[in-house]
Short mmCIF file of all heavy atoms in Angstrom, two decimals:
data_model
loop_
_atom_site.label_atom_id
_atom_site.label_comp_id
_atom_site.label_asym_id
_atom_site.label_seq_id
_atom_site.Cartn_x
_atom_site.Cartn_y
_atom_site.Cartn_z
N ARG I 583 -0.48 13.20 -27.43
CA ARG I 583 -0.77 14.32 -28.34
C ARG I 583 -1.71 15.31 -27.67
O ARG I 583 -2.50 14.97 -26.81
CB ARG I 583 -1.42 13.81 -29.62
CG ARG I 583 -0.50 12.89 -30.40
CD ARG I 583 -0.98 12.70 -31.83
NE ARG I 583 -0.02 11.95 -32.59
CZ ARG I 583 1.05 12.46 -33.20
NH1 ARG I 583 1.29 13.74 -33.12
NH2 ARG I 583 1.87 11.70 -33.88
N CYS I 584 -1.62 16.56 -28.10
CA CYS I 584 -2.52 17.61 -27.59
C CYS I 584 -3.94 17.33 -28.06
O CYS I 584 -4.16 17.01 -29.23
CB CYS I 584 -2.05 18.98 -28.11
SG CYS I 584 -3.20 20.34 -27.74
N ARG I 585 -4.89 17.45 -27.14
CA ARG I 585 -6.30 17.23 -27.48
C ARG I 585 -6.79 18.24 -28.53
O ARG I 585 -7.60 17.90 -29.40
CB ARG I 585 -7.16 17.32 -26.23
CG ARG I 585 -8.65 17.08 -26.49
CD ARG I 585 -9.49 17.16 -25.23
NE ARG I 585 -9.16 16.18 -24.24
CZ ARG I 585 -9.57 14.91 -24.24
NH1 ARG I 585 -10.33 14.48 -25.23
NH2 ARG I 585 -9.22 14.09 -23.28
N SER I 586 -6.28 19.46 -28.47
CA SER I 586 -6.78 20.52 -29.36
C SER I 586 -6.15 20.50 -30.74
O SER I 586 -6.86 20.54 -31.75
CB SER I 586 -6.54 21.88 -28.72
OG SER I 586 -7.27 21.99 -27.54
N CYS I 587 -4.83 20.48 -30.81
CA CYS I 587 -4.17 20.61 -32.11
C CYS I 587 -3.57 19.30 -32.64
O CYS I 587 -3.17 19.24 -33.79
CB CYS I 587 -3.10 21.69 -32.04
SG CYS I 587 -1.64 21.26 -31.05
N GLY I 588 -3.48 18.28 -31.77
CA GLY I 588 -2.94 17.01 -32.21
C GLY I 588 -1.42 16.96 -32.26
O GLY I 588 -0.84 15.93 -32.63
N GLU I 589 -0.78 18.05 -31.88
CA GLU I 589 0.70 18.09 -31.88
C GLU I 589 1.23 17.09 -30.84
O GLU I 589 0.65 16.92 -29.78
CB GLU I 589 1.17 19.50 -31.55
CG GLU I 589 2.67 19.70 -31.69
CD GLU I 589 3.17 19.65 -33.12
OE1 GLU I 589 2.40 19.98 -34.05
OE2 GLU I 589 4.33 19.27 -33.33
N ARG I 590 2.34 16.47 -31.17
CA ARG I 590 2.95 15.49 -30.28
C ARG I 590 3.47 16.17 -29.02
O ARG I 590 4.11 17.22 -29.08
CB ARG I 590 4.10 14.80 -31.00
CG ARG I 590 4.75 13.70 -30.21
CD ARG I 590 5.52 12.77 -31.14
NE ARG I 590 6.37 11.86 -30.43
CZ ARG I 590 5.95 10.82 -29.72
NH1 ARG I 590 4.66 10.58 -29.63
NH2 ARG I 590 6.79 10.02 -29.12
N ILE I 591 3.18 15.56 -27.86
CA ILE I 591 3.69 16.03 -26.57
C ILE I 591 4.96 15.25 -26.28
O ILE I 591 4.98 14.03 -26.44
CB ILE I 591 2.65 15.80 -25.45
CG1 ILE I 591 1.36 16.57 -25.75
CG2 ILE I 591 3.22 16.17 -24.10
CD1 ILE I 591 0.19 16.17 -24.86
N SER I 592 6.00 15.94 -25.88
CA SER I 592 7.27 15.28 -25.62
C SER I 592 7.12 14.13 -24.63
O SER I 592 6.48 14.30 -23.58
CB SER I 592 8.28 16.29 -25.07
OG SER I 592 9.45 15.63 -24.64
N PRO I 593 7.70 12.99 -24.94
CA PRO I 593 7.66 11.87 -23.99
C PRO I 593 8.41 12.18 -22.69
O PRO I 593 8.26 11.47 -21.69
CB PRO I 593 8.30 10.71 -24.73
CG PRO I 593 8.91 11.27 -25.96
CD PRO I 593 8.35 12.64 -26.19
N ARG I 594 9.17 13.26 -22.70
CA ARG I 594 9.87 13.65 -21.49
C ARG I 594 8.91 13.84 -20.33
O ARG I 594 9.21 13.53 -19.19
CB ARG I 594 10.66 14.93 -21.71
CG ARG I 594 11.50 15.28 -20.47
CD ARG I 594 11.82 16.71 -20.27
NE ARG I 594 10.66 17.49 -19.99
CZ ARG I 594 10.55 18.76 -20.31
NH1 ARG I 594 11.52 19.36 -20.94
NH2 ARG I 594 9.47 19.43 -20.00
#
Side-chain angles (χ1 to χ4, degrees):
R583 298 196 174 276
C584 172
R585 181 179 298 279
S586 296
C587 70
E589 187 70 28
R590 184 160 168 73
I591 299 168
S592 171
R594 185 206 66 209

